[in-house]
Amino acid sequence: MGNRVAQQSPCYCSILRKAVRRVSTLYDAHLRPSGLKSTQLALLGELSQHRSEPPTVNELADYLVMDRSTLGHNLRPLLRRGLVALEPDETDGRTRRVILTVKGAAKCTDAEKLWRKAQQEYESIMGKTAAVALRNALQKLATSEAL
């Protein structure tokens, strides 16, 4: 990328996407030894949340704020590796629930050490106060029903 100074865009969406790509690159580099990408670890982490029952595909897409086709794209490699499974719902056979397998839970636990190092590097780059403030602002944005 060099030392080229980019003109600041007035577009919130554009700058958010650029920032996400930079942060994803940092996390993906740390997670590389686990064989997971940051998007995959986020998916496994969401599945590890204790709920009364595993989420349906649609519910998981909602939790992750992504459309179903993107979720499917992200699920396929995890399904092939046996880290997640799709099981029919007990009451509605047409509905499939996404299950974190024992192998997936172990992979998630192993990757957590690498994720913590990525968190530390990110906080070092941003500064802890700014990193927390940004995370909190983005959490508000990600959970807003107004958008």
Side-chain angles (χ1 to χ4, degrees):
M1 294 290 185
N3 289 337
R4 193 182 90 195
V5 178
Q7 185 175 15
Q8 185 172 359
S9 171
C11 178
Y12 299 117
C13 184
S14 177
I15 199 65
L16 277 168
R17 285 180 178 272
K18 288 177 183 179
V20 165
R21 286 191 292 272
R22 291 273 189 204
V23 173
S24 293
T25 298
L26 179 137
Y27 277 75
D28 287 346
H30 279 277
L31 290 171
R32 193 167 290 118
S34 74
L36 294 174
K37 293 186 178 223
S38 56
T39 52
Q40 295 170 325
L41 181 59
L43 200 153
L44 295 178
E46 189 64 46
L47 289 173
S48 72
Q49 301 298 312
H50 299 287
R51 296 185 174 92
S52 59
E53 60 184 354
T56 65
V57 173
N58 286 338
E59 288 168 346
L60 184 57
D62 287 345
Y63 297 148
L64 294 168
V65 191
M66 65 175 54
D67 60 65
R68 238 184 102 125
S69 63
T70 301
L71 176 61
H73 176 75
N74 287 310
L75 274 176
R76 277 189 286 282
L78 299 175
L79 286 162
R80 279 193 303 270
R81 293 172 61 189
L83 303 178
V84 300
L86 294 175
E87 294 183 357
D89 183 78
E90 291 179 10
T91 58
D92 180 359
R94 298 171 298 168
T95 300
R96 296 190 304 175
R97 296 198 173 272
V98 187
I99 311 294
L100 180 66
T101 64
V102 171
K103 185 177 177 182
K107 178 62 82 173
C108 195
T109 298
D110 290 345
E112 191 175 322
K113 296 174 210 130
L114 301 169
W115 171 82
R116 275 198 290 276
K117 290 195 182 279
Q119 288 278 100
Q120 290 168 350
E121 183 174 345
Y122 176 78
E123 286 177 352
S124 174
I125 291 166
M126 291 293 295
K128 175 85 174 184
T129 302
V132 170
L134 180 58
R135 182 196 59 215
N136 293 343
L138 292 173
Q139 176 68 26
K140 183 178 178 182
L141 181 62
T143 57
S144 172
E145 294 295 326
L147 296 176

